[in-house]
Amino acid sequence: QVQLVESGGGLVQAGGSLRLSCAASGSIFRINVMDWYRQTPGNQRELVARITSGGSTRYAESVKGRFTISRDNAKNTVYLQMNSLKPEDTCVYYCRMVVLIRTNEYTYWGQGTQVTVSS
């Protein structure tokens, strides 16, 4: 069983910064994909940023140039550095990981962390 634990959310003023972390624990051979999603009430979860095992990254247009995703493979942890935050970034942020266990891939989600940006 794999568990993801998120941390780093909170309240920040517009223009400020936050850093989210998501650490995985359990019987992990390799984490192939690490994502950050976000969701507001009544809306679908949207992909904010992705980083692959090879280090390739991908961002939603709305966060390009402001957010940076990174990973520490030794710690099985993914980070999201969020700068120049805007009120419209207010959401619950979820990490998602695609984990290779033996020869199969499994998808796991974190519990979510609230980010609130005040104007």
Side-chain angles (χ1 to χ4, degrees), residues 83-103:
N83 298 328
S84 303
L85 282 160
K86 305 175 181 180
E88 51 264 42
D89 294 318
T90 297
C91 279
V92 178
Y93 285 73
Y94 298 89
C95 64
R96 169 185 176 270
M97 295 189 187
V98 179
V99 179
L100 182 65
I101 300 175
R102 296 189 182 90
T103 59

Side-chain angles (χ1 to χ4, degrees), residues 2 29 44 51 55 66 73 75-76 78 85 97 100 102 113:
V2 173
F29 178 70
Q44 289 185 331
I51 186 165
R66 301 188 297 123
N73 292 327
K75 296 181 179 179
N76 289 329
V78 62
L85 282 160
M97 295 189 187
L100 182 65
R102 296 189 182 90
T113 186

Side-chain angles (χ1 to χ4, degrees), residues 20-93:
L20 306 183
S21 300
C22 176
S25 61
S27 301
I28 298 168
F29 178 70
R30 186 177 68 234
I31 302 175
N32 288 336
V33 177
M34 295 178 168
D35 296 331
W36 286 100
Y37 281 75
R38 65 186 182 185
Q39 184 176 26
T40 52
N43 293 320
Q44 289 185 331
R45 287 184 189 182
E46 64 166 348
L47 178 65
V48 176
R50 168 170 290 168
I51 186 165
T52 67
S53 58
S56 297
T57 59
R58 168 185 163 187
Y59 296 93
E61 285 297 323
S62 58
V63 307
K64 279 184 181 177
R66 301 188 297 123
F67 290 12
T68 302
I69 189 170
S70 60
R71 61 190 285 169
D72 184 332
N73 292 327
K75 296 181 179 179
N76 289 329
T77 299
V78 62
Y79 305 97
L80 186 68
Q81 178 66 43
M82 304 186 293
N83 298 328
S84 303
L85 282 160
K86 305 175 181 180
E88 51 264 42
D89 294 318
T90 297
C91 279
V92 178
Y93 285 73

